[in-house]
């Protein structure tokens, strides 16, 4: 299902307010504001057809958010190679197929790799899937002992046993309450998840992750008009979709992007910039 034009535009405007650094719980302190009309162009022209939306309003909204919010990707960078690190056709007590697939990217002598954890319904050919990032590693969404623990940088979290910015066995299964893996499988869908720190570590530093692969000589941080972390994470979802198109077990025309908080913004931006996402 494609998002209706009006809904997509509303999502765009809402995304400007999600994740603010200051939280207010008092209605009296909310300043007056007028929600922009999504079906009115910046020059004041009314959008009254799908054709006008697609040719006029959608492109100008995309340009606005690219230029003023999320930044432009400086160059194209596609998958250099992929490898199935592990798979099991009898995962989760025989309910699912499990795959752990590593995507690798190379540019200017630098390499970045990240791993997609896939659970697919066992008896379904070309499954539709949900794709979303996780905050503390693929191993945190399940008790499954076979899920590989990432070696990427992580935010410390005492309750998860994460110290020295290192993920460990202590955090396995810590986020199972957030991930309805078996319900998704029972409904005939698959689940794909990626630890976002493998694509771009979540710290105020652009010296690692995907960014350096696309820097010019002598550059050590994105230029003012270039991508930040949300755009980088969105790029990672789009590249995952590239892989899904190569995987015979996945229906790449039925991929739903989802996420929470900033990773919710990320999924919206991925879906807005790549219309291959079904929802």
């Amino acid at each position: 299902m494609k998002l209706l034009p009006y809904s997509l535009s509303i999502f765009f405007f809402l995304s400007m307010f999600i994740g603010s650094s200051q939280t207010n719980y008092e209605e009296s302190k909310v300043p007056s504001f007028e929600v922009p009309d999504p079906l009115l162009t910046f020059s004041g022209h009314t959008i009254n057809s799908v054709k006008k939306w697609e040719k006029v309003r959608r492109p100008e909204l995309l340009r606005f958010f690219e230029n003023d919010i999320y930044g432009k990707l400086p160059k194209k960078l596609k998958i250099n190679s992929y490898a199935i690190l592990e798979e099991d056709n009898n995962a989760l007590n025989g309910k699912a197929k499990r795959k752990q697939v590593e995507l690798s990217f190379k540019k200017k002598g630098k390499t970045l790799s990240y791993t997609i954890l896939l659970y697919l319904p066992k008896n379904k050919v070309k499954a539709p899937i949900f794709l979303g990032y996780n905050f503390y590693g693929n191993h945190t969404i399940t008790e499954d002992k076979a899920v590989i623990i990432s070696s990427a940088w992580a935010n410390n979290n005492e309750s998860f046993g994460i110290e020295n910015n290192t993920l460990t066995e202590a955090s396995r299964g810590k986020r199972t309450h957030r991930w309805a893996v078996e319900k998704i499988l029972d409904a005939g869908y698959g689940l794909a998840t990626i630890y976002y720190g493998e694509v771009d570590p979540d710290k105020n530093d652009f010296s690692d992750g995907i960014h350096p692969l696309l820097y010019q000589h002598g550059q050590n941080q994105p230029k003012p008009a270039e991508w930040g972390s949300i755009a980088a994470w969105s790029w990672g979802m789009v590249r995952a979709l590239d892989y899904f198109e190569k995987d015979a077990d996945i229906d790449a025309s039925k991929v739903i992007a989802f996420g929470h908080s900033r990773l919710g913004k990320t999924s919206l931006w991925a879906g807005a910039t790549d219309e291959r996402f079904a929802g």
Side-chain angles (χ1 to χ4, degrees), residues 13 20 34-35 54 63 141 195 203 225 246 251:
F13 288 117
S20 172
E34 183 177 343
V35 178
E54 292 178 343
R63 286 194 301 270
I141 77 150
Y195 171 47
K203 52 186 177 178
K246 304 175 187 295
D251 186 346

Side-chain angles (χ1 to χ4, degrees), residues 62-79:
L62 279 169
R63 286 194 301 270
F64 172 78
F65 276 85
E66 184 181 62
N67 291 335
D68 296 336
I69 306 291
Y70 299 120
K72 298 178 181 179
L73 275 64
K75 294 178 183 176
K76 290 184 178 180
L77 182 62
K78 297 194 174 182
I79 299 170

Side-chain angles (χ1 to χ4, degrees), residues 203-264:
K203 52 186 177 178
N204 193 22
D205 178 5
F206 291 107
S207 65
D208 48 17
I210 187 58
H211 292 92
L213 275 69
L214 296 176
Y215 285 157
Q216 297 176 4
H217 179 71
Q219 186 178 359
N220 56 20
Q221 63 180 0
K223 296 177 182 177
E226 289 181 347
W227 57 346
S229 290
I230 287 176
W233 295 326
S234 297
W235 168 89
M237 296 184 84
V238 170
R239 298 287 77 82
L241 186 52
D242 290 345
Y243 165 74
F244 297 154
E245 291 183 331
K246 304 175 187 295
D247 192 319
D249 291 329
I250 296 171
D251 186 346
S253 71
K254 296 178 180 178
V255 178
I256 301 163
F258 76 102
H260 172 69
S261 193
R262 287 174 303 143
L263 299 183

Side-chain angles (χ1 to χ4, degrees), residues 148-168:
I148 299 165
I149 299 174
S150 173
S151 60
W153 185 96
N155 281 302
N156 290 329
N157 185 323
E158 185 177 350
S159 65
F160 283 20
I162 301 173
E163 299 178 349
N164 300 316
N165 306 113
T166 303
L167 297 169
T168 68

Side-chain angles (χ1 to χ4, degrees), residues 46 80 95 169 208 256 267:
T46 299
N80 180 266
K95 177 175 285 192
E169 183 65 34
D208 48 17
I256 301 163
S267 65

